[in-house]
Amino acid sequence: MLYKKLKTLGLDKIGQYRTEHTNPVLDLQSPVSSLLNTFCGASPLIVDKYAGIDDVVFRMQKNQSKYALVSQNHSGIIGLISYADLCSRKVLITCECKGLRRTELNAEDMMIPREKLQGIRYQELESATVGELLHTMQQLNQEFAMVVDEQDQLCGVICIREILRAMKIPQNTNITAHSFRDIFNIIHNHAELT
């Protein structure tokens, strides 16, 4: 087999080096493909549904992952669990609702079940803009979407928090109750404001 020779250049005028990865500035017209997180480069973190949440947090920190896929033996992926949820009030609310202690919670208790997640075909995302994706996720009222390939297999995850961070848009973590109904749901139903 014949290979072509790659072009090279002299380094006599190049003395600076870059220590950080520069990300392109994203806006609503940017292509989604510029920020798409697929499993092709690295396999996703997968945790068993019975894994304790402290173990899941440790594994996420070790792998520098913002989410993990939750599996059940031979049934495949049954949900998704996020680092943000594991470090939020959602843990205490789940403990209260299930009558469990934190040490008794497992990944299945804290995950977003597969049935509640939405998928978007990879081919659809190749020509989509960030604005179109954000609009779609807002309409679905979802923080995560699964990327699905042409063989109907999961091949990536889209996280709105990561997109907003890449766009340097501040995320509102202090949501205010605007009605008596909101307050009632928080107090009596342990509901979260969205």
Side-chain angles (χ1 to χ4, degrees), residues 26-182:
L26 293 178
D27 61 26
L28 295 175
Q29 300 308 315
S30 299
V32 172
S33 58
S34 65
L35 56 88
L36 198 54
N37 181 12
T38 63
F39 304 149
C40 296
S43 297
L45 177 60
I46 299 175
V47 297
D48 185 75
K49 73 177 194 170
Y50 298 115
I53 62 168
D54 289 332
D55 180 51
V56 174
V57 168
F58 174 76
R59 291 185 60 199
M60 286 181 171
Q61 289 172 338
K62 184 178 175 184
N63 290 294
Q64 298 180 346
S65 180
K66 302 291 183 199
Y67 64 86
L69 300 178
V70 181
S71 72
Q72 176 181 343
N73 297 336
H74 304 291
S75 300
I77 303 304
I78 62 169
L80 181 138
I81 189 168
S82 78
Y83 184 79
D85 283 350
L86 293 175
C87 297
S88 73
R89 293 178 300 147
K90 185 175 179 180
V91 173
L92 297 174
I93 292 168
T94 304
C95 285
E96 181 69 27
C97 290
K98 293 185 177 263
L100 299 172
R101 287 176 281 168
R102 178 184 166 82
T103 56
E104 298 173 315
L105 289 180
N106 59 36
E108 185 177 30
D109 295 323
M110 294 298 298
M111 74 178 187
I112 303 166
R114 184 178 65 201
E115 298 79 30
K116 290 188 177 181
L117 292 166
Q118 293 292 314
I120 302 174
R121 293 231 177 254
Y122 183 82
Q123 295 79 7
E124 182 81 12
L125 294 169
E126 287 182 311
S127 60
T129 65
V130 171
E132 292 168 335
L133 175 62
L134 290 175
H135 175 73
T136 302
M137 299 296 284
Q138 180 183 23
Q139 295 298 308
L140 294 171
N141 195 26
Q142 296 280 324
E143 180 182 348
F144 292 95
M146 307 303 287
V147 182
V148 180
D149 67 12
E150 59 275 355
Q151 286 87 30
D152 288 335
Q153 294 183 337
L154 300 177
C155 66
V157 174
I158 296 169
C159 176
I160 293 302
R161 288 178 195 242
E162 290 179 11
I163 294 171
L164 295 176
R165 191 175 303 116
M167 293 178 69
K168 302 198 182 335
I169 296 174
Q171 299 171 41
N172 183 11
T173 56
N174 298 323
I175 302 172
T176 306
H178 293 286
S179 68
F180 178 78
R181 180 184 201 178
D182 288 343

